[in-house]
Amino acid sequence: TEREAQVEQEEESAGENTGSKDSGETGEMTSDKRLDEEKSLLEKLAEMQDRYLRLTAEFDNYRKRTLKEKIDMTKYAGEDLLKKLLPIIDDFERALSHMDSSGNTAGIKEGLDLIYVKFADFLSQNGVTEIKSFDQSFDVDLHDAVAKVSVEEQERKGKVVEVILKGYYLKDKVLRHARVVIGE
């Protein structure tokens, strides 16, 4: 606006100095060009400011996303190791269940019980918890259905009637889905 006022004053003084009609028209054309140039420059400035704001917002989103990814990576850093340890605990559970049915293995059973307890404590200290599946409604996010069996009780239909292989969480993420049999 100040610039426009200045341009108008220059036009008036140019028109007064020359006193001819032709030079006044030339002054108007020059001022129109200047106004067009200024308008064009202001549009470019607005566009550049918009680009700058968008780029700043995009960078901020990128920074937040990478920070979240880093946090998730550290949170689940031991996932592969813990996933490989799960079959060991499965074998311990099988051995313990078979020892109950065999005779005269009290010493071996006691030793395996101690190892199992320590190993289960290690897993829980590292954020691994068991997915409760037995007698729960089937959930595709937590369970892998191995088979379906017919059940007589109506309330057991669509529920887990047998757990073939336990599932586990690592903090709030499913580490391994439970393999289950569903009542039908």
Side-chain angles (χ1 to χ4, degrees), residues 4-176:
E4 291 175 1
Q6 185 180 9
V7 170
E8 287 177 19
Q9 287 177 356
E10 288 176 5
E11 288 175 7
E12 289 174 8
S13 64
E16 290 172 3
N17 291 340
T18 58
S20 74
K21 196 174 187 181
D22 290 337
S23 63
E25 289 176 10
T26 307
E28 285 179 24
M29 291 174 76
T30 308
S31 70
D32 286 343
K33 282 186 179 178
R34 286 184 184 165
L35 288 174
D36 288 343
E37 286 177 12
E38 285 181 24
K39 189 175 182 181
S40 171
L41 290 174
L42 287 173
E43 288 174 359
K44 285 183 181 178
L45 176 63
E47 180 184 334
M48 295 302 283
Q49 287 175 334
D50 184 55
R51 275 189 188 172
Y52 173 73
L53 287 173
R54 290 179 187 272
L55 187 61
T56 303
E58 190 176 321
F59 178 74
D60 192 42
N61 290 339
Y62 168 77
R63 186 181 53 80
K64 288 177 184 176
R65 185 176 61 247
T66 56
L67 183 63
K68 183 184 180 305
E69 287 172 358
K70 285 179 185 178
I71 289 171
D72 285 348
M73 273 196 331
T74 57
K75 187 176 181 181
Y76 301 112
E79 179 177 356
D80 288 336
L81 170 69
L82 295 171
K83 194 179 270 188
K84 291 175 184 174
L85 290 174
L86 291 178
I88 298 169
I89 200 158
D90 294 334
D91 292 340
F92 267 118
E93 290 172 350
R94 282 188 208 104
L96 290 172
S97 67
H98 288 296
M99 291 184 97
D100 288 337
S101 62
S102 64
N104 201 9
T105 56
I108 296 171
K109 184 177 182 339
E110 189 176 319
L112 283 176
D113 281 335
L114 290 173
I115 294 169
Y116 176 77
V117 168
K118 286 182 182 179
F119 192 67
D121 286 343
F122 167 77
L123 289 176
S124 65
Q125 289 171 2
N126 284 286
V128 177
T129 55
E130 181 182 332
I131 296 174
K132 302 295 180 202
S133 299
F134 185 73
D135 228 10
Q136 301 291 319
S137 294
F138 178 74
D139 184 354
V140 293
D141 294 329
L142 303 175
H143 307 118
D144 284 336
V146 177
K148 290 184 178 181
V149 295
S150 60
V151 290
E152 294 178 16
E153 300 90 17
Q154 186 66 26
E155 65 271 1
R156 295 198 72 194
K157 290 186 179 186
K159 291 191 175 188
V160 175
V161 294
E162 184 182 350
V163 177
I164 304 296
L165 193 63
K166 291 181 182 180
Y168 292 93
Y169 289 113
L170 175 58
K171 296 184 171 93
D172 58 347
K173 181 180 175 185
V174 175
L175 185 60
R176 180 176 75 187

